[in-house]
Amino acid sequence: MSHLELLPAVDVKDGQAVQLVQGVDGTEKTFGDPIAAARRWADEGAEWIHLVDLDAAFGRGSNAEAVAGIIAAVDIKVELSGGIRDDESLARALSTGCTRVNIGTAALENPAWCEKIIATHGDRIAIGLDVKGSQLAARGWTSEGGDVFDTLARLSEAGCTRFVVTDVASDGMLTGPNFELLGAICARTNAAVVASGGISSLEDLRQLRGLVPIGVEGAIIGTALYVGNFTLPDALAVARGEDR
């Protein structure tokens, strides 16, 4: 693959599309109906969306009905995240029709279960690595979960095919991706890497596209799209190398 896959984010809290700052609950900007947001990105050419149930991620509820409605409303691939921590929640997530699920906290709290589901479901499972410095952030980013490279090594050995890497300090800040972190992750795994956090400009996307040869497969874009720093069609052109 020579292009960068883009995954516009649709984060759902209390039934609304929102964007948090550094993953902190209560910092959100609200952007209205999440189905409308998902349809907009699909209509503008997205092949993927990154869909997050924030209430489930924080362990305080569920937007299952809204999530199912979003997936049914768009005919594109969906990466689903938030609150997937056991067989029941995994089965429920996979049954929505999403293309793959992103497992976060559970990877830290129950590594044996993660290894089992990777073996069972293969590339329908991505592992989310939410990173503060060199430490993982767990359960809605409110607690620490150990060294990122230890977890990376263990789950790479278990056969994980894809890691979604979020730099918590950059998320929602529009300060640019953590290229150093992404390079360090790519150097330690043969799995594909999806970058998340900090994307603010088309130049950020050009630089991320330059990391495709070392393993960066895609990028999740949230706040920059919602506040209008650039359009999705322009971002897709950059991601495909059509902006030269």
Side-chain angles (χ1 to χ4, degrees):
M1 184 181 72
S2 59
H3 71 281
L4 183 73
E5 291 181 343
L6 297 186
L7 297 84
V10 180
D11 295 356
V12 185
K13 178 183 177 185
D14 296 330
Q16 296 290 300
V18 304
Q19 288 286 293
L20 303 184
V21 177
Q22 295 183 325
V24 177
D25 194 21
T27 62
E28 65 271 4
K29 295 185 177 84
T30 301
F31 295 98
D33 178 12
I35 292 179
R39 282 179 171 154
R40 174 185 174 187
W41 306 139
D43 290 346
E44 292 185 0
E47 297 179 1
W48 282 92
I49 60 170
H50 178 74
L51 177 59
V52 184
D53 184 340
L54 286 173
D55 292 310
F58 283 106
R60 57 145 185 258
S62 170
N63 291 282
E65 186 174 335
V67 164
I70 292 164
I71 294 172
V74 293
D75 188 24
I76 58 176
K77 292 173 281 192
V78 175
E79 177 178 83
L80 178 59
S81 184
I84 305 167
R85 299 188 174 101
D86 53 27
D87 288 335
E88 182 182 356
S89 54
L90 175 62
R92 189 164 56 244
L94 291 172
S95 72
T96 61
C98 67
T99 307
R100 65 177 179 244
V101 298
N102 182 41
I103 308 293
T105 298
L108 314 176
E109 296 179 348
N110 194 345
W113 177 71
C114 273
E115 291 169 12
K116 180 189 80 170
I117 65 171
I118 288 167
T120 302
H121 297 286
D123 66 3
R124 291 200 74 189
I125 304 294
I127 298 294
L129 301 176
D130 301 332
V131 187
K132 291 181 178 178
S134 65
Q135 295 295 301
L136 286 164
R139 197 168 291 281
W141 295 357
T142 58
S143 60
E144 288 191 357
D147 183 80
V148 60
F149 297 111
D150 290 345
T151 298
L152 179 70
R154 184 184 73 238
L155 294 176
S156 293
E157 180 68 22
C160 180
T161 62
R162 184 170 289 100
F163 293 97
V164 178
V165 179
T166 302
D167 177 47
V168 174
S170 300
D171 197 59
M173 296 295 288
L174 300 174
T175 52
N178 187 335
F179 295 106
E180 182 179 356
L181 171 65
L182 293 169
I185 295 286
C186 288
R188 290 167 170 84
T189 183
N190 292 322
V193 171
V194 177
S196 176
I199 294 170
S200 64
S201 66
L202 295 177
E203 181 57 33
D204 289 339
L205 294 176
R206 289 187 188 94
Q207 292 188 55
L208 287 171
R209 190 184 71 216
L211 299 184
V212 169
I214 69 168
V216 173
E217 174 188 77
I220 296 167
I221 311 175
T223 301
L225 277 179
Y226 283 93
V227 302
N229 281 18
F230 48 76
T231 69
L232 181 57
D234 284 348
L236 290 167
V238 170
R240 295 169 183 150
E242 297 168 355
D243 58 319
R244 296 187 180 93

